[in-house]
Amino acid sequence: MSTSDIASIMENSKEVDRLRKEQEDVLTEINKLHKKLQTNPEVVEKPGDMSLSKLKNLYTQAKELAETEMRVSNVLLTQLDALLPPGPPRKRLEGNEQKKKQKKNDSDISRVSPSMRNQHDNPASLKGEQVAARVTTEESDKDEYIVVKVIHYDREAREFEVLDEEPGEDEEGGGQRKYKLPVSHIIPFPKRNDPSTATDFPPGRAVLAVYPSTTALYKATVVNPNRKRKTDDYLLEFDDDESEDGSMPKRTVPFYNVVALPEGHRQ
């Protein structure tokens, strides 16, 4: 652990403390103003009274401080994840192979680009974007991921409203389907016009990728050893994609349709 790493962590920790103190001060002012308005509600009807305008500004300030604290806290968590050794695997992960998978997922976190982190830290920025979404519940036997478009993000509920733009055969009239999903069910794609948002996955790495000519994502393994640029396509072998002769076809997938395999993925 370098001195600069420690210094950066301490700086972000102090920033979180400062933001929390500012929020406490703002909330104190909000409570004072609430008490004033409850005691003398008629004050807002007086000419020139700015009570409601001041209250609005205080709430806006509190909201901005809370969002900034969340963003800095997420950066701090990422720094700690990158520096601390991987912890023990979760109970549902068993065996040496699963332990290796855990370590790979932990190392992927440290390689996420700043642009991609910004998408995670600011969910509202994903509005209008295509993302990978898990549309199955925790009780399901398998995790099903599909490509959807973000319509809206509810900050209070921390929930996305998304649209499956591919008409479903089992839907009435073949219409498009909407879902309301928690943040944990959404994975942003790298931006096709901004390769810096893409993560470099080495050969042998397990990933989640859009199967060619579909809008469904499946587990796959990176096989191409000569991918030199972030804009280059990936050559993948998808699980359970054996041909009739028993071989595993190698399929080309654009970098912006490939993401890290979620921890504990069930397929």
Side-chain angles (χ1 to χ4, degrees):
M1 184 184 297
S2 67
T3 304
S4 60
D5 290 332
I6 297 175
S8 179
I9 289 175
M10 295 304 297
E11 182 179 345
N12 283 326
S13 298
K14 291 179 181 178
E15 179 66 5
V16 170
D17 290 339
R18 184 190 68 79
L19 290 166
R20 287 178 179 172
K21 179 63 171 62
E22 281 196 35
Q23 289 178 75
E24 290 175 2
D25 293 341
V26 172
L27 289 174
T28 298
E29 291 300 314
I30 289 175
N31 290 333
K32 287 181 181 179
L33 195 49
H34 277 176
K35 187 174 181 180
K36 173 185 174 182
L37 294 176
Q38 288 171 355
T39 305
N40 302 298
E42 67 279 0
V43 71
V44 297
E45 299 178 2
K46 294 181 179 180
D49 181 76
M50 302 294 291
S51 297
L52 293 180
S53 177
K54 183 178 179 181
L55 186 61
K56 178 183 176 182
N57 290 336
L58 286 170
Y59 271 114
T60 300
Q61 187 178 354
K63 174 176 173 288
E64 291 174 349
L65 286 169
E67 290 174 348
T68 303
E69 182 196 345
M70 182 179 72
R71 185 166 58 252
V72 176
S73 295
N74 284 333
V75 171
L76 186 56
L77 284 172
T78 301
Q79 289 176 316
L80 292 172
D81 280 337
L83 294 176
L84 292 175
R90 299 179 186 271
K91 289 184 179 180
R92 66 183 179 187
L93 299 178
E94 299 176 356
N96 292 333
E97 195 60 35
Q98 294 292 355
K99 290 180 181 179
K100 291 178 182 177
K101 184 189 297 184
Q102 173 70 33
K103 291 179 180 179
K104 288 179 181 178
N105 286 333
D106 288 341
S107 64
D108 282 341
I109 294 174
S110 65
R111 284 195 291 272
V112 174
S113 68
S115 299
M116 185 64 81
R117 285 179 191 158
N118 182 60
Q119 294 182 65
H120 284 286
D121 297 344
N122 184 18
S125 69
L126 292 173
K127 184 176 180 180
E129 298 284 341
Q130 285 192 330
V131 297
R134 193 179 89 199
V135 293
T136 46
T137 63
E138 299 294 342
E139 292 74 27
S140 302
D141 294 333
K142 297 181 179 180
D143 294 336
E144 179 185 350
Y145 280 84
I146 62 173
V147 178
V148 298
K149 182 179 181 179
V150 176
I151 301 174
H152 176 69
Y153 176 66
D154 187 330
R155 290 182 181 274
E156 293 186 3
R158 288 187 60 78
E159 187 177 68
F160 283 98
E161 183 177 1
V162 300
L163 174 68
D164 179 5
E165 298 179 283
E166 187 75 13
E169 295 180 359
D170 57 346
E171 298 294 323
E172 293 184 8
Q176 298 172 329
R177 185 173 180 180
K178 291 183 180 179
Y179 298 88
K180 287 189 176 181
L181 303 171
V183 173
S184 60
H185 282 215
I186 300 296
I187 304 177
F189 282 121
K191 295 180 179 294
R192 68 177 67 195
N193 60 351
D194 184 5
S196 67
T197 61
T199 302
D200 288 323
F201 299 111
R205 179 59 50 87
V207 295
L208 197 65
V210 179
Y211 191 85
S213 301
T214 76
T215 56
L217 290 92
Y218 299 97
K219 181 182 175 184
T221 302
V222 178
V223 296
N224 56 322
N226 298 318
R227 184 175 177 272
K228 298 179 180 179
R229 301 170 301 172
K230 285 194 173 184
T231 54
D232 291 343
D233 292 339
Y234 279 103
L235 198 61
L236 306 176
E237 287 182 352
F238 284 87
D239 287 17
D240 304 321
D241 189 30
E242 288 187 17
S243 18
E244 293 182 359
D245 61 3
S247 63
M248 297 290 287
K250 294 176 175 56
R251 304 191 184 276
T252 301
V253 179
F255 74 90
Y256 50 81
N257 280 342
V258 180
V259 296
L261 185 72
E263 179 182 340
H265 178 70
R266 301 165 297 177
Q267 180 168 315

